[in-house]
Amino acid sequence: MANNDIQTVLVLDFGGQYKELIARRVRECGVHSQILAGSTPIEKIKQISPIGIILTGGPHSVYEDSSPHTVKELFELGIPVLGICYGMQLMAYTLGGDVRSCDVSEYGTINTSYDDKDCPLFKGLSENAVTLMSHTDRIYETPEGFKPAAHTSDCPIAAMYDEARRLYAVQFHPEVERTKQGTQLLRNFLYEVCGAKGDYNMDDFIQRELVRIREQVGSRQVVLGLSGGVDSSVCAAILEKAIPNQLTCIFVDHGMMRKNEGDEIERAFAGKSLNFVRVNAEDRFLTKLAGVSDPERKRKIIGEEFVRVFEEESAKFAGSLLAQGTIYPDVVESGLTTGAVIKSHHNVGGLPKDTKFVGLVEPLRSLFKDEVRELGRKLGLDETLVSRQPFPGPGLAVRCIGEITKERLDILRDADYIFREELQKADLHYGQFFAVLTDMRTVGVMGDGRTYNYVLGLRAVITSDFMTCEYAHIPYEVLDVVSSRIVNEVNGISRVVYDITGKPPATIEWE
């Protein structure tokens, strides 16, 4: 989404893993951002008329023919440009500089000196900084008109700029937390160089989106598949505000939610100006899953059955518009902005084939997850919904290793509830935490008797972006209480273990 009434900064993607983080940092500074492919035609960039352009990093060597390149005209538009990592090398290479392999590659946090006090990027920053580097190539000679502005012990040109043409570049990654004062550097580019007004905020977004939804929907009805997750809940909230009594929310309860979760979702939307439909389909899903242990088969069965149940229920509302809680990372990862498909999302790319819906409404399509949460709070959603942790679509099925049965799901539900309850009591907050019921049984002792019950795994991680994580160092006394309660209160569990693996090499979920 590029709004004509607000300033926009374009993030041109050259394969960098941090493109979404760059765009988020720009928005955190009060400026709207949009991610597009590095190959975006110049004419399209002119139509958007951004106040600035940021070139991302990437895994390539710019001097190789197969690497992504850009045209010299990009730097002749009169629009300020900031190149980051590969983006810096691309700027130098395109404009006649010398880019070659490093004598010494740099990875991780590196002591960096900001040499040129006249460079607007470094205004108000310490002369000596810690930055995150990740490169095997470097600039040996800047293009004509550029001045070096920073260095490290192994990289003599760690930043460069041409103030006359408003072209700036850094070899490090200012968007990551490990670069100290990196957000301030980006803020300097936006406000000191691009002349940003800081006109992007959630209150304005709400007002614009309410108008847009009303214009699109008119007097028609809208149907939303409500999962109870953050995205679908916030989507329901803004639609209800925009078009009261024109929204039907269909909640397909597949029986694999956490303890009491289905009832909590229903209560959260009771009394609203919408039609809430709960489809209790637990038996139907469990029948389909009987005897299935392979995790990919479980996911596929649940996904397909979910679509069938939703289609059957939504068929009662033929002629309506379909609403989806698509958010900006879904769009980016599906390749609709950059051309590079990272994940296939079932709710991205238009209406399903053979649909009875007449259009698609996606009010969150331009927002990142943290913005969605902020929007939910401003719309008055209960904090339990707004701050709800990521939860896989197949629900507890992916946290129940092996065959899925109601008995095993109930064991997992009770254990997971105790874990979450004790963390809450201890006022411990982590990026994600949950219990996993393994398909392994071990010998235990209860009273004077021998038991042979399941092993339960606990997982808690610290992460800001879910791309990487480290395990949470939960205090031993809390783990002790959790383990004791689970073994004593939940029938079927004789042993509790704690997962201390980061990502990588592990994933956050077990299946």
Side-chain angles (χ1 to χ4, degrees), residues 342-356:
I342 300 170
K343 295 179 183 176
S344 60
H345 295 265
H346 74 276
N347 62 336
V348 177
L351 285 169
K353 294 179 180 178
D354 303 321
T355 182
K356 294 180 173 60

Side-chain angles (χ1 to χ4, degrees), residues 75-129:
F75 305 104
E76 298 172 344
L77 295 173
I79 299 170
V81 181
L82 172 64
I84 295 176
C85 196
Y86 180 85
M88 174 178 178
Q89 297 166 13
L90 180 64
M91 182 184 294
Y93 181 84
T94 305
L95 296 176
D98 181 15
V99 182
R100 285 179 277 137
S101 178
C102 297
D103 294 327
V104 179
S105 299
E106 291 181 310
Y107 293 101
T109 50
I110 304 291
N111 291 325
T112 306
S113 298
Y114 298 153
D115 304 318
D116 193 327
K117 296 183 178 57
D118 294 327
C119 179
L121 295 183
F122 304 141
K123 182 178 179 181
L125 274 59
S126 303
E127 292 181 18
N128 298 309

Side-chain angles (χ1 to χ4, degrees), residues 327-446:
I327 65 174
Y328 199 40
D330 298 336
V331 177
V332 173
E333 290 175 352
S334 296
L336 298 184
T337 59
T338 65
V341 178
I342 300 170
K343 295 179 183 176
S344 60
H345 295 265
H346 74 276
N347 62 336
V348 177
L351 285 169
K353 294 179 180 178
D354 303 321
T355 182
K356 294 180 173 60
F357 295 109
V358 297
L360 191 61
V361 185
E362 297 177 303
L364 312 182
R365 189 181 176 88
S366 67
L367 300 182
F368 287 100
K369 179 71 79 174
D370 51 346
E371 294 174 311
V372 174
R373 295 187 195 277
E374 181 187 355
L375 173 59
R377 292 185 179 99
K378 286 187 175 292
L379 292 171
L381 269 183
D382 190 277
E383 186 62 28
T384 58
L385 288 177
V386 174
S387 60
R388 192 178 293 274
Q389 292 189 356
F391 190 57
L396 295 181
V398 299
R399 296 176 183 172
C400 189
I401 312 300
E403 184 179 3
I404 305 297
T405 65
K406 189 176 190 313
E407 178 189 17
R408 298 189 77 227
L409 288 170
D410 286 341
I411 291 173
L412 178 55
R413 261 188 280 268
D414 289 341
D416 181 77
Y417 183 82
I418 290 172
F419 185 36
R420 290 187 287 127
E421 185 178 55
E422 289 301 327
L423 290 185
Q424 184 177 19
K425 285 180 183 178
D427 198 26
L428 295 172
H429 306 280
Y430 304 117
Q432 195 167 357
F433 49 90
F434 52 88
V436 178
L437 185 65
T438 74
D439 56 355
M440 180 191 306
R441 292 176 182 265
T442 64
V443 175
V445 178
M446 295 290 283

Side-chain angles (χ1 to χ4, degrees), residues 423-482:
L423 290 185
Q424 184 177 19
K425 285 180 183 178
D427 198 26
L428 295 172
H429 306 280
Y430 304 117
Q432 195 167 357
F433 49 90
F434 52 88
V436 178
L437 185 65
T438 74
D439 56 355
M440 180 191 306
R441 292 176 182 265
T442 64
V443 175
V445 178
M446 295 290 283
D448 295 325
R450 177 182 180 275
T451 62
Y452 190 62
N453 290 323
Y454 290 111
V455 176
L456 182 89
L458 301 178
R459 179 84 159 137
V461 300
I462 298 170
T463 180
S464 60
D465 55 16
F466 292 88
M467 296 173 62
T468 63
C469 78
E470 58 185 61
Y471 76 90
H473 291 240
I474 298 177
Y476 289 143
E477 57 269 24
V478 176
L479 286 174
D480 185 50
V481 172
V482 172

Side-chain angles (χ1 to χ4, degrees), residues 221-240 243 246-252 269 274-279 306 310 313-314 317 320-326 346-347 357 359-364 381:
Q221 294 292 310
V222 177
V223 175
L224 169 69
L226 181 67
S227 69
V230 177
D231 301 339
S232 66
S233 296
V234 175
C235 183
I238 194 167
L239 287 170
E240 189 243 356
I243 50 169
Q246 293 175 244
L247 173 65
T248 294
C249 293
I250 299 175
F251 168 47
V252 177
F269 289 94
L274 53 80
N275 177 30
F276 185 91
V277 178
R278 180 173 180 174
V279 184
F306 186 94
F310 180 77
E313 192 64 35
S314 62
F317 307 95
S320 300
L321 294 159
L322 174 66
Q324 294 184 154
T326 309
H346 74 276
N347 62 336
F357 295 109
L360 191 61
V361 185
E362 297 177 303
L364 312 182
L381 269 183

